[in-house]
Amino acid sequence: MEANGPSNNFRGRNENRKGFRCRLDVGHHLKRHHGRGRKRQKIWPHLRRIFNAIEWFFTILFTIEYILRLVSVKKPLRYAFSFFGIVDFLAIIPTYLSLFIPGLHYLLTIRILRLLRVFRVLKLSEYINEAQLLRRALVASSRKIGVFLLAVVSLVTVIGSIMYVIEGEKNGFANIPISIYWAVVTITTVGYGDVSPQTPLGQFFASIVMILGYGIIAVPTGIVTVELSKAVGSIPTLHCQNCNQEGHNADAVYCKYCGEKLLV
């Protein structure tokens, strides 16, 4: 027992040193973390004041612009209730209302809609025409897409019910709505993995559903593509009498190939 005494004392001192070092490291880490927290607490109020000043600057600027538009147009009410008039109004009113009703400043993101004015300011009419072309294609294919979505809803309901019968509650398919949720996730090829089949028959059936999902994704793409091609083919183009070239813009005056004046 006496022979082991010095060894035990040395071991105890070594453990005390390690514990002391560990406490020093933890204290140093906490001190650094506390210092960073103080710096953040000092920076954030300053940044908040800057952003508030920027917000009020643009709000006042947009307010002056909105008032000048109402004064300069011939029909102020018509502009006020137009799309861009409503966007301009909604872009400025949340800032003023936030002084009385807290939480309305989150509606300031609607100002992103003001970027639509870029197309009017820069006179990028070709982009507006392309947007109208896409809109016509979507409207023309809306019924087909509606029927397709109804068929998909019916299909996932049937698939979910079959999977509920195959797997059952013991494998995570507690009820039919959860099974339908699994069918939607699987047929759209998302595959979260929170619910998955465990039996060989269920896994085989899930493989068929996954392969079926790739074919289903291609259907609406083909529908919109066909309608888009029809819309492009229906656009009237001017014909040059001199070089017999087509493909001119609707507002073109001269041929872009030979320079001859176009006859409307």
Side-chain angles (χ1 to χ4, degrees), residues 221-239:
T221 306
I223 293 174
V224 176
T225 303
V226 170
E227 295 297 335
L228 191 59
S229 62
K230 290 181 180 179
V232 172
S234 64
I235 297 177
T237 57
L238 297 177
H239 178 264

Side-chain angles (χ1 to χ4, degrees), residues 209-226:
V209 174
M210 294 174 195
I211 296 173
L212 183 64
Y214 285 104
I216 290 177
I217 291 174
V219 173
T221 306
I223 293 174
V224 176
T225 303
V226 170

Side-chain angles (χ1 to χ4, degrees), residues 61-105:
L61 185 66
F62 291 159
T63 304
I64 295 173
E65 179 196 5
Y66 182 71
I67 294 174
L68 290 177
R69 286 182 182 276
L70 291 176
V71 173
S72 59
V73 297
K74 295 180 179 179
K75 298 180 179 180
L77 289 178
R78 184 175 180 181
Y79 165 73
F81 289 100
S82 64
F83 173 75
F84 285 104
I86 295 174
V87 169
D88 291 341
F89 179 75
L90 294 178
I92 61 175
I93 197 63
T95 306
Y96 297 112
L97 292 180
S98 63
L99 297 175
F100 308 98
I101 305 174
L104 289 182
H105 59 279

Side-chain angles (χ1 to χ4, degrees), residues 17 19 35 37 43 70 72 82 85 91 110 128 145-146 170 174 176-177 180-181 193 197 202 213 243 260:
R17 290 175 183 174
I43 293 174
L70 291 176
S72 59
S82 64
I110 202 169
I128 297 178
I145 294 178
K170 60 180 180 180
I176 290 181
I180 293 175
Y181 158 76
C243 62
E260 189 71 18

Side-chain angles (χ1 to χ4, degrees), residues 133-143 145 224 227-228:
L133 184 67
L134 182 60
R135 184 188 64 81
R136 288 198 299 268
L138 292 175
V139 171
S141 59
S142 59
R143 291 187 178 181
I145 294 178
V224 176
E227 295 297 335
L228 191 59

